[in-house]
Amino acid sequence: MRSGALKYFIFLGASWALIFQISCRQRTEKQSDPADNTPKVESGVRLIVLGTAQDAGSPQMGCEKSCCQNLFENPDPKRKVVSLGLIDGKHQKRYLFEATPDLPSQLHFLNRAARVREGIMPDGVFLTHAHIGHYSGLMFFGKEAVNAKQVPVYAMPRMAAFLERNGPWGQLVSQQNISVQPLLSDSAITLTSSVSVVPLRVPHRDEYSESVGFIIRGQEKKALFIPDIDKWERWDRNITDLIAEVDYAFLDATFFDGDELNTRDISEIPHPFVVESMELFETLPPAEKQKIIFIHFNHTNPLLSPDSEAYGIVSSGGFRIASFGDEFDL
């Protein structure tokens, strides 16, 4: 009896140990499953904000102002140069709007959101113009970096010529790291049956290329993306009419007002001040104001800080302020 009882308890103990091990393994595997830490796969079309700062980022090199003091020692990982990501879940396509100095981390975030493995290149990159923060990230497709193969880069005629005829960008073309795809103003590019893009010429400092904004059309909604433009009154289009045609309007908000940049002649870098845009859009109905999402903040712009008085003023005025990681269904 003793021997039988002992064998029984040994068997029982071994069984419980096995059950415990399986249970622990299941919990461990579930906890370590990367899918648990990535966004849910979606079949629709969505935009993701991948950056909100002006070309030179935040903090900006050489800045000794209070807006930069702590950021050199304690960087904010969400302060990336202006960019949007576009995901078409149904067709498993991903696009970048702008190729910024932060492109490696932005593509990582976009791939993670689309549940695509790290090494997969985007299905296309759309460029607005040839100012450093909007195209210089193309360098990461070159042979010194990932040595990509024919990543489609959508560009207007002067922008395309600038890339093809000037080093080091021409090497990206000759080595077939990128494949320049032509754009024409007001002419739609159909990417999939769910997505198309229309470039719109805008007035800006066009030293090396023309400048454009984009209308991005999804299955159900449209977004307007204009990160850089001179004053609204210099444009031959009515911005309020365009806002009425879209569901989201990501608009140039480089400077909050004319007083924040006291080290340079601000007339040489014209942009619509946020206070000017708010005055222009003041009479719009609340639903129209909610479409407006300010983006492209200079390092001096207090809208980079949600705790600032300016941030509260804009929000209470019925407008929105872009933040890294924000998603918008199209």
Side-chain angles (χ1 to χ4, degrees):
M1 293 290 293
R2 289 182 180 178
S3 175
L6 182 60
K7 290 180 179 179
Y8 172 77
F9 283 114
I10 291 174
F11 171 78
L12 185 62
S15 299
W16 279 109
L18 179 61
I19 292 171
F20 178 77
Q21 288 176 350
I22 293 173
S23 175
C24 286
R25 187 183 302 119
Q26 288 174 338
R27 287 200 297 272
T28 302
E29 289 171 353
K30 185 175 182 180
Q31 290 171 350
S32 62
D33 184 355
D36 289 345
N37 299 317
T38 54
K40 182 180 178 182
V41 174
E42 297 181 18
S43 60
V45 179
R46 54 195 167 119
L47 282 174
I48 302 178
V49 176
L50 298 176
T52 64
Q54 182 266 357
D55 301 40
S58 173
Q60 190 171 121
M61 185 176 70
C63 176
E64 299 178 351
K65 297 182 178 182
S66 59
C67 57
C68 299
Q69 281 180 351
N70 297 322
L71 288 170
F72 285 109
E73 285 74 25
N74 301 291
D76 182 348
K78 294 184 178 180
R79 292 202 180 190
K80 300 185 187 300
V81 176
V82 66
S83 176
L84 295 182
L86 175 64
I87 297 175
D88 180 347
K90 178 181 179 181
H91 298 94
Q92 295 295 291
K93 300 290 185 180
R94 295 148 301 109
Y95 302 89
L96 287 169
F97 285 81
E98 310 294 32
T100 84
D102 294 314
L103 189 147
S105 61
Q106 290 170 329
L107 181 58
H108 166 76
F109 191 87
L110 180 63
N111 282 348
R112 185 173 176 271
R115 296 179 67 113
V116 171
R117 78 174 186 272
E118 187 63 32
I120 301 298
M121 294 298 102
D123 295 290
V125 180
F126 285 82
L127 304 178
T128 57
H129 64 301
H131 285 164
I132 62 168
H134 301 263
Y135 78 96
S136 60
L138 293 176
M139 63 185 174
F140 294 108
F141 294 127
K143 65 178 182 178
E144 300 92 339
V146 73
N147 198 29
K149 303 301 180 186
Q150 295 188 322
V151 175
V153 173
Y154 295 87
M156 293 287 287
R158 283 187 64 205
M159 183 79 234
F162 174 78
L163 295 175
E164 292 167 347
R165 299 172 187 174
N166 293 278
W169 320 109
Q171 181 172 280
L172 297 174
V173 179
S174 64
Q175 296 288 328
Q176 298 186 23
N177 299 127
I178 65 173
S179 174
V180 178
Q181 304 295 314
L183 291 175
L184 292 175
S185 186
D186 295 280
S187 181
I189 293 288
T190 299
L191 301 175
T192 71
S193 61
S194 304
V195 176
S196 65
V197 176
V198 180
L200 306 174
R201 282 290 304 269
V202 299
H204 195 43
R205 293 173 291 112
D206 296 340
E207 300 94 339
Y208 297 114
S209 77
E210 58 278 274
S211 298
V212 295
F214 293 109
I215 292 179
I216 307 163
R217 293 172 174 160
Q219 292 173 302
E220 300 175 357
K221 297 180 179 180
K222 294 189 292 186
L224 175 66
F225 178 49
I226 303 178
D228 270 292
I229 192 171
D230 292 345
K231 302 296 186 181
W232 294 119
E233 59 268 23
R234 297 186 185 180
W235 201 14
D236 59 3
R237 297 177 188 256
N238 187 310
I239 182 59
T240 56
D241 289 345
L242 270 176
I243 292 170
E245 295 176 13
V246 301
D247 301 278
Y248 313 108
F250 297 89
L251 301 184
D252 182 348
T254 305
F255 302 112
F256 182 74
D257 57 31
D259 299 326
E260 71 186 70
L261 194 66
N262 54 16
T263 57
R264 295 172 63 182
D265 182 357
I266 204 165
S267 67
E268 296 178 356
I269 39 177
H271 290 271
F273 299 146
V274 174
V275 291
E276 293 174 337
S277 294
M278 290 176 63
E279 183 178 0
L280 176 63
F281 304 138
E282 183 179 11
T283 59
L284 292 180
E288 292 296 287
K289 287 184 178 180
Q290 271 292 293
K291 294 179 180 180
I292 298 168
I293 306 160
F294 289 116
I295 200 167
H296 192 272
F297 310 119
N298 195 55
H299 68 291
T300 56
N301 195 323
L303 294 186
L304 281 168
S305 174
D307 299 325
S308 68
E309 180 183 1
Y311 198 102
I313 291 172
V314 173
S315 298
S316 63
F319 305 98
R320 288 194 275 181
I321 301 163
S323 296
F324 178 83
D326 285 350
E327 294 196 10
F328 302 85
D329 290 332
L330 291 182

